[in-house]
Amino acid sequence: MPAVSKGDGMRGLAVFISDIRNCKSKEAEIKRINKELANIRSKFKGDKALDGYSKKKYVCKLLFIFLLGHDIDFGHMEAVNLLSSNKYTEKQIGYLFISVLVNSNSELIRLINNAIKNDLSSRNPTFMCLALHCIANVGSREMAEAFASEIPRILVAGDTMDSVKQSAALCLLRLYKTSPDLVLMGEWTSRVVHLLNDQHMGVVTAAISLITCLSQKNPDEFKTCVSLAVSRLSRIVSSASTDLQDYTYYFVPAPWLSCKLLRLLQCYPPPEDGAVKGRLVECLETILNKAQEPPKSKKVQHSNAKNAILFEAISLIIHYDSEPNLLVRACNQLGQFLQHRETNLRYLALESMCTLASSEFSHEAVKTHIETVINALKTERDVSVRQRAADLLYAMCDRSNAKQIVAEMLSYLETADYSIREEMVLKVAILAEKYAIDYSWYVDTILNLIRIAGDYVSEEVWYRVIQIVINRDDVQGYAAKTVFEALQAPACHENMVKVGGYILGEFGNLIAGDPRSSPLVQFNLLHSKFHLCSVPTRALLLSAYIKFINLFPETKATIQEVLRCDSQIRNSDVELQQRAVEYLKLSSIASTDVLATVLEEMPPFPERESSILAKLKKKKGPGAVSVTELEDSKREGGELNGGGDRGPDTAAMAASNTSTPSPSADLLGIRSAAPVGAAPSSAGSLLVDVFSEAGPTAPSAAVNDDGFLRDLEQPTETSDSLLVEGSGDLDSAPPSEDPAPPLSEADELLNKFVCKNNGVLFENQLLQIGIKSEYRQNLGRMYLFYGNKTSVQFASFTTTVSCPGELQSQLNVQTKPVEPLVEGGAQIQQVLNIECLSDFSEAPLLNIKFRYGGALQNLTLKLPVTINKFFQPTEMSSHDFFQRWKQLSQPQQEAQKIFKANHSMDTEVLKAKLLGLGTALLDNVDPNPENYVCAGVIQTKSQQVGCLLRLEPNAQAQMYRLTLRCSKDSVSRRLCELLAQQF
Amino acid sequence: MMRFMLLFSRQGKLRLQKWYTATAERDKKKMVRELMQIVLARKPKMCSFLEWRDLKIVYKRYASLYFCCAIEEQDNELITLEIIHRFVELLDKYFGSVCELDIIFNFEKAYFILDEFLMGGEIQDTSKKSVLKAIEQADLLQEEDEPPRSVLEEMGLA
């Protein structure tokens, strides 16, 4: 046991920790811990009151056990007791325990808040800091409610100690991040901004984090901070390396504060005031100059701190994107770092240069470093650095260097790490398309891509090459020749077979003149790959064969022979069998004219944004592909080649669907666009439309809409207690009191109604609320029955239905006010009319207020209006079901949950629930009779959303797997959430 | 803003964890396991930064301990590296050439020091003097409070 260094004395704790360390096995450790837990429990329960010291020691032991990864379910009360100790160390341990282990036990929170309140008003700076730390560590909404108005006062008060100010600033920041609606800066704004001028560097350092966050959200209100930040920065940058004493770090003056100031400035455009701007440019130049000076210390801390400021300055220069001189200097500086011996600097230089490459002022300057970057891609030993190099090559690529960059990326792919291959493939495919001048190069590149990294070539990539070949007749002959050669390889990737099959099926005639690639040779080559391929590829090959019959009548007999053989015409796969049967029939009964019409060459694809780009964006997030790049690609895409998002095979089938009864008998799945000219007349095709509405290009706009706005519109919580017998001061509360927050069990109550429409929604000693509801299409009507269970009259009875946040635009709920008096024992009724405008996830809130014996009752429930209420059941066959299932194959369209059964797993109960859900329960669809599948269409005013559901019970494990696929991802997620509570 | 900081040993034992946003215990355990695996597999000369989920990871090894921070997209990697270093300096100054055992046996002190230095994932003060002054003041208070006890009394035998 090491000597405990300072001031400490909890030997019992040290003994316990050593014991744990001496345990030879996990079992021994658990045994020792259980013994200790039993000991502590008995001490806490014992008759002898524990002194503060022992309490502290035991609480500390519990904390240690928790941090080892074990659950702790007691001791919270003792920790809370420690908070009110007047001994600093006991208080400190109490707060630490609360910070690490707090749970949402509301009883406890109230006690904790009380202790915090006492400490905050104690005027003892160390106690105040402890309390502020605790608030910042827990940061819960209850705490925000209790203290959000108090802390700004502490922060700006003239007599607050510096250390307390620092804690208060960061505490407020934490509360602002968790509950922005509760932190109102209003009157404090200017005094908070002026903390940038504070004498004490520590106060400025803490305050600037708060100011930056507030500026991001309210730039106008805080814009006076710009000039203050510039002057503060200027003073730091021009100070000598020792001026700032303790705030100088390895000869760098105030590096943390400098970085923060530069970051704050990035919330704003360049200063308009000429003098301020001049001063700032001077600062930035000084920072760039200092990078060239010899280091004042050999320590890495010195150069790290210095370069941290430099990189932040460069970020600001890039953010302004208006000073060509500074941009070029920044680029040169980063160029030096590219060859630095520190890996960290090389990494950051590559990353930072990526953003520089998108600025028109510095794009050319970035390009001069191409050789260094290529070298980095080849020689860096760390994959994360190589990844950066690949990103930069992608960013600096333009028409002048595309061939070189694509070639380098291709050769890197041969050895690239698995983790980044898919992304690399997408990047190569995009660059090859975007900068293609001659299309033979493009075709070569993509085929190389398939050869080198076939497994990572996604559907989008090979669809795209086919779209381009179809739309460009000058490249078709070359493409046919090239795929023919590529297929000669004894082992070629399945994606190559797909591209080859498709292209030869369309354009094989262009190379058929050469005896080495005569029709029969072509067919035999394709067919030699057939048996090694998966079902979708075989299906595609069968389509290629029927196209051959049309292109080359001489192959008809051979191909019919193939189609006729048992392995095709009796294939166990329905899709293959159907194709074989139909193609065989088509080729034998249709006249050559009919055949030629049905199997005509594919029409050009409509021009659209490249689906590959969309995929990359999805992979890397919206920030990864800059706007200019998108516009660029659209422009160039338009000029060079069109392309649709749908798979070529789909189109092939759409063209030849005279022979196929189902409108989209396609295993590869419709990607996004509905088949050309599909008229939504019959029920079947309506469903097709619905299912194909959301595609990979649908932007997830909701992502940016973080909780911030929604939080603002949530009702403010003012009263902590609901439905408790009114205390004296409640009597005088005005009836216009704000609605209470939803009951803690509101979600539970809501869940009870997901699969049923009628029942008792809520009941307590005073009030019962019953519900009856019915839905049709996107409309619903709900009857609410409020029953007074007492013998006393309810006065001022009001009910309000509200749609919080974005629900307002998704759901329309109308109702009339109810009678303000409810006699004892009486029941009143209220009717709600509901219209679903678009899909939604939240529930409308029902607030009820009334006076009972003088006390105001205020409660809020969630109305059980859930998205599934607008379901229309859809019957379909097993075949149709799985076909649609496959069409909804994008990862975000699916939501899945595996969970433990909470209720009976009885078949009849399950069936009743699934029917109650509103979907059609489909029999004989799933090969496993234990499973349940359902289908339905959600009707909203703006669109219809097709939904498929599969529930797989596992009776042995008492578990379920629930899978949802919907044409809209938000619906999949919401339904999955709702349903996971039901079984 | 820093999302969390982890200290773990080369053997994969977690020594200290500080989370600056509310995270479920289960998720915490999963994240810790995943990150430890990634970081421990990296070779010495590799870059100290890596992308992980939507976060940037900055880590550095001091003797047997890894200090590992998760920061957000717009945060500065190099300055985070120096946050780690300053924290190590603070520990070192307080314990007097700190080693892993000091942090194991005085974990609560390590938390107190970290709290004085960082709050809500942001820097509270960068001055070594200010941070340590706060901690040492607390120790003085403690010494005044508590008369030394005998070992037996400690173990509850007296």
Side-chain angles (χ1 to χ4, degrees):
Chain A
M1 201 174 83
V4 174
S5 55
K6 279 190 191 176
D8 208 349
M10 289 190 283
R11 287 194 209 92
L13 174 66
V15 169
F16 174 58
I17 296 176
S18 324
D19 278 2
I20 295 288
R21 283 176 55 74
N22 290 334
C23 287
K24 295 276 184 292
S25 65
K26 195 81 199 162
E27 290 72 31
E29 185 185 306
I30 291 173
K31 212 171 143 198
R32 179 66 185 87
I33 284 171
N34 285 337
K35 185 178 151 206
E36 192 64 39
L37 285 175
N39 172 39
I40 298 173
R41 212 176 255 129
S42 73
K43 294 279 186 206
F44 283 168
K45 278 196 184 142
D47 322 321
K48 209 174 75 183
L50 287 178
D51 61 358
Y53 169 81
S54 318
K55 219 180 269 176
K56 173 178 93 171
K57 183 178 68 183
Y58 292 130
V59 165
C60 210
K61 280 182 183 177
L62 286 177
L63 186 59
F64 180 78
I65 294 171
F66 177 78
L67 289 170
L68 278 179
H70 302 269
D71 290 336
I72 294 296
D73 53 6
F74 69 103
H76 300 76
M77 210 50 191
E78 285 72 14
V80 173
N81 286 342
L82 284 177
L83 297 185
S84 45
S85 162
N86 50 13
K87 288 190 181 160
Y88 181 77
T89 54
E90 289 170 14
K91 205 185 257 299
Q92 201 182 18
I93 295 286
Y95 273 125
L96 179 62
F97 183 93
I98 300 295
S99 305
V100 176
L101 257 132
V102 83
N103 62 19
S104 51
N105 184 331
S106 57
E107 201 53 35
L108 220 49
I109 285 280
R110 206 166 309 154
L111 291 172
I112 296 168
N113 280 358
N114 263 339
I116 292 177
K117 210 166 275 172
N118 289 337
D119 282 336
L120 279 185
S121 51
S122 71
R123 328 274 306 144
N124 173 340
T126 33
F127 286 8
M128 287 171 87
C129 283
L130 278 182
L132 289 166
H133 273 124
C134 182
I135 301 172
N137 275 323
V138 177
S140 68
R141 199 165 168 90
E142 288 93 337
M143 285 198 173
E145 276 161 10
F147 304 110
S149 54
E150 174 69 16
I151 296 168
R153 214 167 315 201
I154 298 177
L155 175 60
V156 297
D159 58 347
T160 306
M161 298 268 294
D162 288 331
S163 62
V164 178
K165 270 191 195 169
Q166 289 168 273
S167 301
L170 293 176
C171 180
L172 193 58
L173 172 61
R174 175 72 206 268
L175 293 185
Y176 183 74
K177 283 187 174 168
T178 44
S179 314
D181 54 322
L182 296 177
V183 178
L184 303 169
M185 294 310 295
E187 47 181 319
W188 312 116
T189 305
S190 110
R191 292 167 79 179
V192 169
V193 170
H194 275 87
L195 289 173
L196 286 175
N197 266 342
D198 201 285
Q199 297 271 311
H200 190 280
M201 291 283 273
V203 171
V204 191
T205 308
I208 194 166
S209 295
L210 173 67
I211 296 169
T212 305
C213 180
L214 291 168
S215 299
Q216 276 164 351
K217 302 277 161 115
N218 327 281
D220 284 344
E221 288 160 48
F222 283 82
K223 67 170 176 252
T224 48
C225 71
V226 172
S227 60
L228 292 179
V230 170
S231 61
R232 190 94 214 191
L233 179 69
S234 162
R235 268 180 282 158
I236 296 173
V237 169
S238 56
S239 64
S241 53
T242 49
D243 283 0
L244 301 174
Q245 294 166 354
D246 217 21
Y247 290 90
T248 297
Y249 180 80
Y250 291 86
F251 303 103
V252 182
W256 283 280
L257 182 53
S258 305
C259 285
K260 288 272 178 192
L261 286 164
L262 288 161
R263 166 60 45 195
L264 171 61
L265 291 170
Q266 288 171 62
C267 303
Y268 290 93
E272 283 158 20
D273 181 333
V276 177
K277 188 171 179 192
R279 210 164 167 199
L280 176 57
V281 169
E282 217 170 274
C283 284
L284 294 171
E285 277 170 347
T286 313
I287 294 171
L288 285 166
N289 290 341
K290 279 191 181 171
Q292 296 301 324
E293 287 170 13
K296 293 198 176 67
S297 154
K298 285 212 171 80
K299 289 254 168 61
V300 66
Q301 284 75 27
H302 171 71
S303 68
N304 278 352
K306 197 165 125 182
N307 291 328
I309 300 173
L310 178 62
F311 275 105
E312 210 55 68
I314 292 176
S315 296
L316 183 62
I317 294 170
I318 297 173
H319 168 76
Y320 287 162
D321 199 13
S322 61
E323 301 284 327
N325 173 38
L326 288 176
L327 280 162
V328 170
R329 281 193 69 185
C331 185
N332 292 340
Q333 182 60 53
L334 294 177
Q336 286 182 18
F337 285 154
L338 286 182
Q339 317 220 33
H340 203 278
R341 59 189 167 76
E342 279 268 333
T343 316
N344 289 345
L345 285 181
R346 296 199 300 276
Y347 176 95
L348 294 175
L350 289 165
E351 189 182 40
S352 191
M353 241 188 206
C354 256
T355 27
L356 266 182
S358 56
S359 161
E360 56 171 320
F361 299 116
S362 49
H363 184 79
E364 287 304 315
V366 172
K367 272 168 62 184
T368 59
H369 299 288
I370 185 167
E371 296 302 335
T372 321
V373 182
I374 287 174
N375 198 37
L377 186 65
K378 286 177 175 161
T379 57
E380 282 290 348
R381 273 182 297 174
D382 184 346
V383 55
S384 36
V385 186
R386 290 198 296 273
Q387 163 97 59
R388 289 282 149 276
D391 287 349
L392 179 53
L393 281 179
Y394 178 74
M396 67 161 67
C397 192
D398 62 18
R399 213 170 278 285
S400 71
N401 55 20
K403 282 204 174 170
Q404 185 188 7
I405 287 180
V406 166
E408 292 296 346
M409 286 173 108
L410 267 176
S411 78
Y412 172 60
L413 251 181
E414 307 213 27
T415 52
D417 306 73
Y418 295 109
S419 54
I420 61 173
R421 278 195 185 181
E422 189 182 353
E423 196 187 315
M424 290 286 294
V425 165
L426 289 173
K427 285 185 165 161
V428 171
I430 290 168
L431 293 178
E433 178 186 338
K434 195 167 159 190
Y435 299 115
I437 301 168
D438 73 274
Y439 277 90
S440 47
W441 173 71
Y442 170 74
V443 170
D444 283 341
T445 303
I446 302 296
L447 293 186
N448 265 330
L449 207 51
I450 296 176
R451 205 166 21 232
I452 295 168
D455 282 343
Y456 299 88
V457 172
S458 56
E459 282 177 347
E460 285 86 351
V461 172
W462 75 261
Y463 285 180
R464 190 72 184 153
V465 67
I466 284 171
Q467 287 161 2
I468 286 173
V469 169
I470 293 203
N471 288 12
R472 307 278 319 177
D473 42 18
D474 54 342
V475 75
Q476 290 162 354
Y478 181 78
K481 180 166 159 283
T482 319
V483 291
F484 179 77
E485 278 160 13
L487 287 173
Q488 303 287 339
C492 55
H493 195 272
E494 192 163 328
N495 280 333
M496 185 72 87
V497 180
K498 288 178 182 161
V499 176
Y502 199 97
I503 288 185
L504 292 180
E506 293 292 326
F507 310 114
N509 55 331
L510 299 177
I511 56 168
D514 189 322
R516 285 168 298 175
S517 52
S518 71
L520 264 178
V521 174
Q522 285 185 41
F523 172 74
N524 287 332
L525 179 63
L526 281 181
H527 200 53
S528 68
K529 315 283 181 199
F530 187 92
H531 303 280
L532 298 171
C533 290
S534 62
V535 170
T537 308
R538 287 196 218 175
L540 184 148
L541 284 178
L542 290 178
S543 298
Y545 295 171
I546 185 74
K547 290 226 157 192
F548 264 48
I549 294 185
N550 176 45
L551 286 180
F552 317 116
E554 66 267 39
T555 59
K556 184 170 171 176
T558 321
I559 291 176
Q560 282 184 332
E561 197 54 43
V562 169
L563 292 175
R564 199 176 290 126
C565 76
D566 277 356
S567 63
Q568 309 298 351
I569 212 157
R570 298 208 174 148
N571 195 296
S572 60
D573 185 274
V574 185
E575 181 64 33
L576 290 182
Q577 191 187 94
Q578 185 173 5
R579 286 194 190 204
V581 171
E582 288 173 4
Y583 292 161
L584 183 60
K585 207 70 187 159
L586 181 68
S587 65
S588 34
I589 58 173
S591 70
T592 33
D593 283 354
V594 172
L595 209 58
T597 317
V598 172
L599 300 171
E600 202 180 4
E601 190 179 305
M602 291 297 301
F605 286 80
E607 287 173 11
R608 282 217 201 97
E609 184 198 323
S610 163
S611 50
I612 316 178
L613 204 57
K615 170 137 182 170
L616 183 70
K617 266 186 285 175
K618 207 166 65 194
K619 219 174 138 54
K620 293 288 274 187
V625 186
S626 65
V627 181
T628 48
E629 194 173 1
L630 281 176
E631 283 164 357
D632 226 29
S633 82
K634 258 187 211 153
R635 198 175 58 237
E636 303 198 23
E639 149 206 342
L640 296 170
N641 42 62
D645 285 337
R646 83 206 127 105
D649 196 42
T650 312
M653 292 314 297
S656 56
N657 71 8
T658 40
S659 70
T660 322
S662 61
S664 59
D666 170 31
L667 286 168
L668 294 168
I670 297 176
R671 301 309 298 179
S672 115
V676 190
S681 51
S682 71
S685 59
L686 176 73
L687 207 57
V688 170
D689 262 354
V690 169
F691 279 112
S692 50
E693 225 157 51
T697 48
S700 48
V703 173
N704 293 335
D705 188 21
D706 55 3
F708 176 45
L709 277 176
R710 220 173 313 142
D711 279 352
L712 270 177
E713 295 185 43
Q714 257 169 18
T716 8
E717 304 177 29
T718 45
S719 65
D720 327 347
S721 55
L722 299 167
L723 292 177
V724 280
E725 287 296 321
S727 60
D729 56 334
L730 262 179
D731 282 15
S732 56
S736 62
E737 192 185 51
D738 285 340
L743 294 181
S744 54
E745 70 267 32
D747 280 312
E748 229 176 281
L749 298 173
L750 176 90
N751 280 330
K752 286 204 313 202
F753 282 83
V754 169
C755 293
K756 64 177 185 181
N757 286 337
N758 306 328
V760 174
L761 176 65
F762 175 80
E763 185 160 24
N764 64 9
Q765 292 103 321
L766 308 180
L767 177 73
Q768 184 193 53
I769 306 175
I771 278 196
K772 255 186 176 176
S773 51
E774 50 188 88
Y775 293 86
R776 253 192 94 153
Q777 303 277 2
N778 67 325
L779 302 175
R781 177 163 298 169
M782 182 179 275
Y783 299 87
L784 292 167
F785 303 92
Y786 304 100
N788 182 344
K789 290 172 63 180
T790 68
S791 51
V792 185
Q793 183 191 63
F794 289 166
S796 317
F797 190 88
T798 52
T799 65
T800 333
V801 178
S802 61
C803 294
E806 54 181 4
L807 189 61
Q808 239 166 10
S809 58
Q810 297 163 338
L811 206 64
N812 191 356
V813 185
Q814 287 181 337
T815 181
K816 289 204 186 99
V818 289
E819 287 295 322
L821 289 183
V822 186
E823 296 298 336
Q827 188 185 59
I828 58 166
Q829 179 189 335
Q830 183 177 25
V831 186
L832 307 182
N833 286 318
I834 302 161
E835 182 186 19
C836 174
L837 305 172
S838 65
D839 73 281
F840 60 95
S841 302
E842 293 300 325
L845 299 177
L846 171 67
N847 175 256
I848 299 151
K849 278 190 227 140
F850 58 92
R851 286 189 182 282
Y852 168 69
L856 181 72
Q857 306 292 335
N858 180 351
L859 84 143
T860 302
L861 297 164
K862 292 192 174 179
L863 273 181
V865 181
T866 45
I867 184 72
N868 64 295
K869 301 290 177 197
F870 304 95
F871 254 128
Q872 286 243 288
T874 312
E875 292 290 347
M876 58 177 83
S877 70
S878 170
H879 172 255
D880 284 348
F881 180 87
F882 283 105
Q883 192 178 318
R884 309 226 190 283
W885 185 262
K886 281 174 196 154
Q887 282 164 4
L888 297 170
S889 61
Q890 287 164 52
Q892 73 275 29
Q893 290 178 328
E894 179 177 292
Q896 190 172 70
K897 257 198 181 133
I898 297 174
F899 52 91
K900 264 221 145 359
N902 290 318
H903 305 281
S904 148
M905 293 186 82
D906 179 75
T907 318
E908 291 313 310
V909 176
L910 283 180
K911 278 189 178 167
K913 279 187 183 166
L914 287 168
L915 284 173
L917 182 66
T919 50
L921 181 58
L922 305 175
D923 285 322
N924 304 325
V925 165
D926 203 293
N928 179 350
E930 302 290 314
N931 293 346
Y932 302 89
V933 293
C934 302
V937 176
I938 288 183
Q939 306 278 349
T940 76
K941 193 180 178 193
S942 58
Q943 67 177 153
Q944 301 176 320
V945 184
C947 306
L948 302 176
L949 174 157
R950 190 176 197 190
L951 179 70
E952 299 160 85
N954 179 339
Q956 254 179 346
Q958 289 284 304
M959 302 275 283
Y960 290 102
R961 178 162 71 184
L962 171 69
T963 314
L964 273 138
R965 288 191 177 185
C966 306
S967 55
K968 199 152 180 221
D969 17 350
S970 51
V971 177
S972 302
R973 281 197 304 274
R974 178 59 182 158
L975 283 174
C976 194
E977 264 167 41
L978 283 173
L979 288 174
Q981 311 293 330
Q982 301 301 318
F983 302 106
Chain B
M1 158 195 171
M2 188 183 291
R3 294 280 193 85
F4 58 85
M5 185 193 263
L6 306 175
L7 267 65
F8 50 85
S9 69
R10 261 167 64 199
Q11 289 76 34
K13 288 256 186 210
L14 189 58
R15 296 301 182 203
L16 187 140
Q17 47 174 324
K18 184 78 193 180
W19 302 81
Y20 293 109
T21 47
T23 315
E25 280 308 317
R26 211 181 32 176
D27 296 338
K28 283 185 191 172
K29 282 185 182 159
K30 197 170 159 229
M31 288 160 89
V32 167
R33 210 169 10 189
E34 202 176 305
L35 258 183
M36 277 208 267
Q37 209 172 21
I38 296 174
V39 170
L40 289 175
R42 289 175 66 87
K43 300 195 183 71
K45 283 277 171 170
M46 283 186 167
C47 170
S48 310
F49 319 126
L50 48 112
E51 282 186 336
W52 181 73
R53 304 195 181 179
D54 59 337
L55 298 174
K56 299 199 279 200
I57 302 298
V58 176
Y59 73 93
K60 189 162 178 179
R61 187 177 144 187
Y62 287 85
S64 59
L65 265 190
Y66 284 86
F67 289 68
C68 177
C69 300
I71 54 174
E72 293 171 348
E73 172 63 31
Q74 71 278 6
D75 292 328
N76 188 313
E77 291 98 335
L78 283 173
I79 209 73
T80 309
L81 211 47
E82 295 318 302
I83 288 181
I84 294 179
H85 188 75
R86 169 90 341 156
F87 180 45
V88 174
E89 285 183 350
L90 288 168
L91 293 170
D92 198 64
K93 190 99 191 261
Y94 179 79
F95 288 109
S97 70
V98 66
C99 66
E100 195 181 335
L101 282 179
D102 290 321
I103 295 173
I104 297 172
F105 280 93
N106 301 284
F107 69 96
E108 79 283 8
K109 294 282 182 217
Y111 276 101
F112 297 149
I113 295 173
L114 184 57
D115 269 354
E116 288 296 331
F117 178 43
L118 296 177
M119 184 168 167
E122 299 283 0
I123 291 241
Q124 181 167 211
D125 204 327
T126 63
S127 155
K128 250 197 278 196
K129 274 188 205 145
S130 309
V131 174
L132 289 177
K133 206 171 76 190
I135 300 290
E136 273 157 8
Q137 222 169 5
D139 284 336
L140 280 176
L141 285 171
Q142 171 159 306
E143 275 158 15
E144 286 164 18
D145 286 350
E146 284 161 13
R149 292 164 177 248
S150 76
V151 181
L152 286 177
E153 197 183 349
E154 266 303 321
M155 300 176 79
L157 299 172

